[in-house]
Amino acid sequence: MSLRRSFVVILVLLAFSSFACGGDPPDKEIQQAQNASDQARAVGADRYAVEEYTAAVDALKNAHTAVDQRDYRLALNDALDSKERAENAAKLAVDGKAAARSAAEKALTAANAAVTAADTKVKAAVTAHLAARTLADARAALEEAQAHVQEARTAIAGGDYYAALSAASAATQSAKVATDKLEAPSASTPRRRSGTR
């Protein structure tokens, strides 16, 4: 009777310790968190909602670590936290992406205007027979600006709005360099030599 009672006590203790650890590993919840993280990344959360997406990924890693340590209750909490953060990151990414697209399109419009203006000035400088070196430098800057505009268009088409914004800004800057090179000679007045009386 005593042996049987001891066996029952051991079974109860084992069941309790299993319950204390949270029962079985939360595989379903971890998989749901992984799916939510994958979906968030698919809509650009890794670029447009970086902070929340990173927190979701970290929580998922913590869930796996907790499973390895057989702390299933902590693993469950981390998995649920990861899923919630990933879903939130996906929502934030949609708004962030729309804002980035709008900014990129505005920057591209400004770059196009700057490149058109610089091109007009280069053509006028050719007609005015400006110095060959000045013209060559201005043309090189203009070509660089045009290349950046093309990069920006390609990036927008590919949905990489931060890259598009960067390329459009670079295009505007290069167009300004071209314009400045053409305006420099006319802006500076030649100095008179001081002759002897």
Side-chain angles (χ1 to χ4, degrees):
M1 189 70 177
S2 173
L3 184 63
R4 187 175 177 185
R5 186 175 294 164
S6 298
F7 182 69
V8 170
V9 169
I10 289 170
L11 283 177
V12 169
L13 287 173
L14 284 172
F16 180 76
S17 72
S18 176
F19 176 76
C21 289
D24 295 327
D27 294 332
K28 183 180 78 172
E29 288 79 6
I30 287 176
Q31 188 55 53
Q32 287 173 344
Q34 182 65 61
N35 291 342
S37 179
D38 292 343
Q39 288 168 6
R41 185 181 177 87
V43 297
D46 57 324
R47 286 181 62 78
Y48 301 105
V50 177
E51 190 175 334
E52 195 70 1
Y53 176 76
T54 301
V57 170
D58 289 343
L60 185 56
K61 286 178 185 173
N62 292 340
H64 284 294
T65 301
V67 167
D68 292 340
Q69 295 170 352
R70 297 183 178 279
D71 191 342
Y72 302 143
R73 187 173 295 163
L74 180 59
L76 176 62
N77 288 339
D78 287 332
L80 294 174
D81 182 43
S82 174
K83 180 174 180 285
E84 183 181 348
R85 287 181 177 275
E87 288 171 347
N88 192 39
K91 291 173 188 172
L92 291 172
V94 172
D95 295 337
K97 198 171 185 179
R101 177 173 185 159
S102 176
E105 286 173 347
K106 284 178 184 174
L108 181 56
T109 299
N112 278 325
V115 167
T116 300
D119 185 53
T120 301
K121 289 194 175 184
V122 166
K123 286 173 181 171
V126 171
T127 305
H129 302 292
L130 231 64
R133 179 62 186 271
T134 301
L135 271 174
D137 289 347
R139 277 178 173 153
L142 179 59
E143 285 172 9
E144 189 174 315
Q146 290 166 337
H148 285 311
V149 164
Q150 189 54 49
E151 285 174 26
R153 285 179 183 149
T154 302
I156 286 177
D160 193 348
Y161 303 121
Y162 287 148
L165 188 57
S166 176
S169 299
T172 300
Q173 184 60 37
S174 295
K176 184 179 182 303
V177 169
T179 302
D180 289 348
K181 286 185 181 298
L182 294 172
E183 290 176 349
S186 60
S188 59
T189 54
R191 292 181 181 177
R192 289 183 178 179
R193 289 184 181 178
S194 56
T196 54
R197 291 181 179 181

